[in-house]
Amino acid sequence: MRKHVTKMPEAASLQHRELVKALTMLLCQLPDDILYHILSYLDYKSLSRLSQVCKTTYHFVNRDAVWRKIAKEFLNTGITRNGRDIYPHIPLKERVKIAQNWYNGVCKIAAPIKWKIKLLPWLQLDGEVLFLSQAANIGAYHLRQDKGKVPRNPFAIYSGHNGDVCRFALTDSHLISGGSDGKVMVHSRRSNVSKELSGHNQEVNCLDARDRLIVSGSRDRTARIWTLDSSCPKYTITMYDRVWSVAINPTLSSFVTGTACCKNFSPLHIWDVERSECVCSLGSGFRRGAGVLDMQFESPFQLFTCGYDTFIRLWDLRLSPRKCVMEWEEPHDSALYCIQTDGNHMIASGSSYYGVVRLWDKRQTECLQFFQLTSDPVSSPVYCLRFSSSHLYAALATALYSMDFRHNPCNIR
């Protein structure tokens, strides 16, 4: 009797394996469109378990088409709300795995580049190349493939300013920078050719560039519209206040300026590019000093802004009048120096104190995760941040910090 009892689990296990094998064979014989429809009802954990049944299901379940619907619901998978894939070279299953770490705040923090004097650095990320301004120079760093690590020495340096670089922007062919010397420099990314655009008589606080259009804003209370073909501004717009931020609409038909809000006016204005006329202002009731420090177009009709009043705001430019439709408040009442969105559900913001980076889920009003990058008693703002599918890079006064979200992955196989 004892011998019979010990054999029962083995027989049951064999029978179970045969049943799973038979069901798997039947499942794999279904047409692809039917199989895709069935798998669309599974969550990421169930898909992961199914992929471990056999080689056939493994290869089918690992297809991007299977994970696309799930990826749209996760943070920073590179799938935008309009369906565009920002990182097509990375399998979606791998991105969903890393997205769990973004959501749970699991990452490894390092400071690959440090400097001894306090600066106001700025960042841009273009694929596998990171651009970082330090004083009057902008260095270009090749990120190590599959590691995301930043080497100590740049492979290229862009210079030409007599003072510190305040902001810079990238196009496919050029790097355009604005400095404390009042100059705008246009550097070719394909050769060593650079040229100077003169016009501002005080520091260029902000700058944006798309295609061949350049817009700059300055402490001299002007915004200027340039083209890559000219050395003088096409238009000069006299403002009532210092200009802290600018953003060009993806349609290239308009741009937005954010000012210091030292007057009793809205700090946000939309301008027509061709006529250089103010189309409208955004919002009302801003308190004095509620300057806008950063802004980003997520689409031609959606604009994110942040600044001294501690709020991230989403503006819908299709409404009449154009108005704020959502807002998120920094819980520690700190000014927000910079923001970036993933085009879907995630916002990353940099605070003015203690190097705090926060991650937000647009579907929630509360902060999702926060990271204090430095324990230095002398606090530093996060002046700029940029992220890829697996890394977030943040520039503080004395160091560049890297946050790697591939470590300690969740249980997706």
Side-chain angles (χ1 to χ4, degrees):
M1 184 67 180
R2 185 180 300 171
K3 188 175 182 181
H4 175 71
V5 170
T6 56
K7 286 185 178 180
M8 282 297 291
E10 295 180 8
S13 177
L14 179 61
Q15 190 177 29
H16 175 72
R17 288 197 298 269
E18 291 297 327
L19 178 61
V20 170
K21 184 177 180 181
L23 290 174
T24 302
M25 291 177 63
L26 289 173
L27 190 67
C28 294
Q29 289 173 5
L30 293 173
D32 283 2
D33 55 344
I34 300 298
L35 196 51
Y36 283 134
H37 183 71
I38 293 172
L39 297 183
S40 69
Y41 289 96
L42 301 182
D43 61 14
Y44 70 94
K45 290 182 179 179
S46 299
L47 283 175
S48 179
R49 294 189 185 104
L50 181 61
S51 69
Q52 299 173 51
V53 172
C54 67
K55 289 184 178 180
T56 303
T57 57
Y58 175 82
H59 290 297
F60 189 91
V61 171
N62 277 14
R63 294 180 182 180
D64 278 0
V66 174
W67 290 88
R68 193 169 187 85
K69 180 181 177 182
I70 291 177
K72 290 181 180 180
E73 299 302 315
F74 281 75
L75 300 181
N76 197 29
T77 57
I79 302 296
T80 63
R81 277 175 291 181
N82 61 12
R84 187 169 67 94
D85 192 345
I86 301 174
Y87 312 115
H89 59 288
I90 305 175
L92 274 178
K93 179 182 176 181
E94 179 67 21
R95 283 183 264 169
V96 170
K97 180 173 66 175
I98 297 172
Q100 286 294 290
N101 290 338
W102 284 93
Y103 189 86
N104 296 321
V106 178
C107 68
K108 182 179 180 181
I109 300 176
I113 301 177
K114 297 181 179 181
W115 47 90
K116 295 182 179 180
I117 59 174
K118 289 188 176 181
L119 303 174
L120 279 74
W122 194 252
L123 285 174
Q124 293 291 357
L125 190 60
D126 185 15
E128 297 297 325
V129 180
L130 179 76
F131 296 84
L132 170 66
S133 66
Q134 295 173 271
N137 297 324
I138 302 169
Y141 300 82
H142 273 309
L143 301 177
R144 296 176 186 173
Q145 278 192 338
D146 301 325
K147 295 183 179 180
K149 292 184 178 180
V150 184
R152 292 183 179 275
N153 299 315
F155 71 87
I157 295 177
Y158 300 88
S159 57
H161 286 282
N162 297 323
D164 289 356
V165 173
C166 298
R167 295 283 178 97
F168 65 92
L170 299 175
T171 67
D172 291 339
S173 58
H174 290 81
L175 184 153
I176 302 97
S177 59
S180 60
D181 54 4
K183 294 193 298 185
V184 174
M185 296 294 301
V186 178
H187 308 275
S188 172
R189 295 176 60 182
R190 299 166 184 167
S191 65
N192 294 324
V193 177
S194 300
K195 70 174 182 178
E196 177 184 327
L197 307 181
S198 299
H200 291 291
N201 55 40
Q202 292 188 47
E203 65 187 61
V204 180
N205 294 318
C206 52
L207 181 145
D208 195 15
R210 286 181 184 266
D211 197 14
R212 304 190 68 78
L213 177 66
I214 304 169
V215 177
S216 59
S218 172
R219 184 182 285 271
D220 66 9
R221 303 187 180 189
T222 66
R224 298 177 189 263
I225 304 173
W226 319 73
T227 63
L228 285 176
D229 303 320
S230 64
S231 57
C232 296
K234 182 179 179 181
Y235 296 111
T236 297
I237 301 172
T238 302
M239 310 288 287
Y240 55 83
D241 215 341
R242 292 166 291 177
V243 185
W244 287 135
S245 56
V246 296
I248 300 173
N249 192 300
T251 63
L252 305 181
S253 61
S254 63
F255 66 93
V256 183
T257 56
T259 64
C261 200
C262 290
K263 307 290 184 180
N264 292 323
F265 302 106
S266 168
L268 289 165
H269 290 80
I270 301 178
W271 304 83
D272 183 274
V273 169
E274 290 300 323
R275 302 193 307 270
S276 71
E277 295 177 354
C278 181
V279 176
C280 68
S281 60
L282 298 179
S284 61
F286 289 92
R287 67 174 186 266
R288 182 180 176 86
V292 176
L293 296 176
D294 197 14
M295 59 178 72
Q296 179 186 350
F297 273 100
E298 192 168 79
S299 75
F301 308 107
Q302 293 178 307
L303 176 71
F304 282 88
T305 64
C306 71
Y308 282 118
D309 67 350
T310 76
F311 280 92
I312 300 171
R313 289 188 170 91
L314 170 60
W315 303 86
D316 192 329
L317 306 185
R318 293 169 295 187
L319 301 177
S320 182
R322 300 167 176 87
K323 64 180 183 179
C324 174
V325 292
M326 289 188 70
E327 58 184 28
W328 298 265
E329 184 177 11
E330 213 288 333
H332 289 166
D333 201 34
S334 299
L336 295 172
Y337 271 57
C338 55
I339 52 172
Q340 189 185 6
T341 77
D342 68 346
N344 193 19
H345 297 305
M346 193 181 86
I347 309 171
S349 65
S351 301
S352 59
Y353 292 116
Y354 306 110
V356 172
V357 170
R358 294 187 185 274
L359 302 183
W360 309 78
D361 189 329
K362 298 173 189 174
R363 297 163 293 187
Q364 306 173 16
T365 56
E366 301 297 324
C367 170
L368 181 64
Q369 299 290 345
F370 83 95
F371 309 88
Q372 185 174 336
L373 300 182
T374 175
S375 57
D376 191 335
V378 180
S379 64
S380 166
V382 178
Y383 289 109
C384 185
L385 57 80
R386 294 290 182 265
F387 57 76
S388 64
S389 65
S390 58
H391 289 75
L392 187 147
Y393 303 95
L396 277 67
T398 58
L400 170 72
Y401 286 85
S402 169
M403 301 167 64
D404 186 349
F405 286 87
R406 297 168 306 166
H407 289 262
N408 302 316
C410 65
N411 58 353
I412 298 180
R413 302 298 180 187

